Every structure is written in structure tokens, then in C-alpha cells.
Amino acid sequence: GAGVSQSPRYKVAKRGQDVALRCDPISGHVSLFWYQQALGQGPEFLTYFQNEAQLDKSGLPSDRFFAERPEGSVSTLKIQRTQQEDSAVYLCASSIGTSGGYTFGSGTRLTVV
Amino acid sequence: KQEVTQIPAALSVPEGENLVLNCSFTDSAIYNLQWFRQDPGKGLTSLLLIQSSQREQTSGRLNASLDKSSGRSTLYIAASQPGDSATYLCAFRGPASGGSYIPTFGRGTSLIVHP
């Protein structure tokens, strides 16, 4: 597609519920990043894929967070047993390579109640 | 760990002023630095990308410079307009452990341009 697409745009989850956030990157983009952005803060790195390989997951805050990109295109960020502190905007970005610029999606705003 | 600092955190100016937004980073081994704009409730829109071999990039009223030796990038906005009101974020990208190149963001400068 022409840009990075994220769905859903908004998600309200009850505490303890599992959620799955989808990212559809620009076709052909090798690199894919997930970021978490709390209100009034800059985006914080969660995890990075190069094609289907998850090369860095050092930013995932707990083992409740899991990301996959099985075919090297669409990626899913899954959060199990959501907590209130998980409320944030989750941003996905893709890049054609390792040194180029990158394009962000509009994000998924997750609210845990 | 790479640290990216943006100054000022917030800025409120009358329309027409020329603005300077600063971004500093701690690691001189840089691949590129990218400036983004974020409107409330929206994703990030890329403004300018400066590769490590470049000194500056220009797009319309925007000019971004890169000084690797001092660890700084500056975004100049000429003749500011109310439509420029947004949060401006800089992202540093450099080599990291494991061979990945993770962009690190500053916290942003929140800009309000009033008529």
C-alpha cells in the first residue's frame, strides 16, 4: 500500500483481556519497528524486525508483550492480560533498509479500563 | 544507551517568527537523523531526513542541520504559521548492539503558533 496501515485505530480493553494490534507496512519494506508512546512522551522502542526475523526485542516491557511477523510483511503486536499501565498509543514504522528513513502508521490508541 | 534531548520542551510564539528547535544526541556514530511532526492524536509525519554524510536538508520553510562533532541537529522553521502548531520530534539512528539500527526519539518540542 501507499503507507503504513495500523488497525484497529482505537481499542478499549478491560483489564486482563488479551489484545492484538496489527501493522501492515509499506510493500517491500524490510525493516519494521514497534513503538509505545505514552501521553506527552516521545515514542519508546519496543521491538524490531528485519523481514521475518525479530532482531531486537529489548524494549518489550514484560513477557506479556509478544510480536511476530511470520511472512516478513504484516506484523502483530500481542499484549496478554492487559494492565492499566499498558494504555498508550502503539506506533508501527517501516523502512526499506537499515539506514534509510522510515514511515509511521497512524497508531493504535489502547485504553485499558 | 543513546540519549536524545530536545530543547525547548514547549514553545509558544506569534505568527511570523523564525524558530529554532534543538536536538542533541550522545553518540557521534550516526547513520541518520530524522525530524518528524506529530499532530494531536495522529501518527508521525516525516519532515526531513539527514544522512550522516550530509550537513543539512531543506524543504520549503524548513531547514534541518546536522553537526556530528557537537552531537546536535537543529530544525529551523521560517515565517511560522498557525498550521505549524504540532509536536516536533527528532529521531537518531545509529549502530546498536546486535547489528540492529534502532531509531531513538527525543521527547519532542510542543509548538504553538498563535495568530
Side-chain angles (χ1 to χ4, degrees), chain B residues 8-68:
Chain B
L11 192 58
S12 180
V13 299
E15 181 176 9
E17 282 203 6
N18 299 324
L19 307 175
V20 176
L21 279 59
N22 296 293
C23 172
S24 62
F25 46 91
T26 54
D27 190 346
S28 60
I30 181 174
Y31 281 118
N32 59 49
L33 190 136
Q34 194 163 358
W35 283 92
F36 292 87
R37 167 185 175 139
Q38 187 174 32
D39 293 283
K42 301 292 179 66
L44 279 67
T45 301
S46 179
L47 298 174
L48 291 165
L49 170 67
I50 311 177
Q51 300 292 351
S52 63
S53 58
Q54 299 172 323
R55 294 294 301 272
E56 64 178 341
Q57 285 287 321
T58 299
S59 176
R61 294 183 294 108
L62 304 179
N63 174 277
S65 64
L66 176 64
D67 184 341
K68 292 186 291 183

Side-chain angles (χ1 to χ4, degrees), chain A residues 9 31 33 35 37 40-45 48 56 91 95 97-102 104-106 109, chain B residues 1 31-32 34 36 38 41-44 46 49 51 89 91 93 97 100-107:
Chain A
R9 186 74 178 89
S31 300
F33 304 84
Y35 283 83
Q37 187 177 26
Q41 304 292 318
E44 293 286 340
F45 169 75
Y48 162 62
D56 193 319
L91 295 164
S95 171
T98 56
S99 60
Y102 32 101
F104 277 83
S106 297
R109 181 177 295 277
Chain B
K1 179 183 175 183
Y31 281 118
N32 59 49
Q34 194 163 358
F36 292 87
Q38 187 174 32
K42 301 292 179 66
L44 279 67
S46 179
L49 170 67
Q51 300 292 351
L89 293 151
R93 195 171 189 184
S97 60
S100 57
Y101 309 100
I102 309 301
T104 302
F105 282 85
R107 294 180 64 170

Side-chain angles (χ1 to χ4, degrees), chain A residues 32 45-50 53-60, chain B residues 96-102:
Chain A
L32 185 146
F45 169 75
L46 293 176
T47 187
Y48 162 62
F49 290 86
Q50 187 170 316
Q54 189 174 21
L55 297 187
D56 193 319
K57 55 182 180 180
S58 61
L60 296 177
Chain B
S97 60
S100 57
Y101 309 100
I102 309 301

Side-chain angles (χ1 to χ4, degrees), chain A residues 46-100:
Chain A
L46 293 176
T47 187
Y48 162 62
F49 290 86
Q50 187 170 316
N51 295 307
E52 69 278 3
Q54 189 174 21
L55 297 187
D56 193 319
K57 55 182 180 180
S58 61
L60 296 177
S62 77
D63 59 6
R64 296 185 295 104
F65 287 71
F66 173 76
E68 60 182 4
R69 193 186 185 196
E71 297 179 358
S73 55
V74 172
S75 177
T76 303
L77 176 66
K78 298 179 180 178
I79 309 174
Q80 297 176 324
R81 304 181 303 281
T82 52
Q83 304 294 316
Q84 281 193 317
E85 61 263 29
D86 300 335
S87 296
V89 175
Y90 290 84
L91 295 164
C92 175
S94 70
S95 171
I96 196 165
T98 56
S99 60

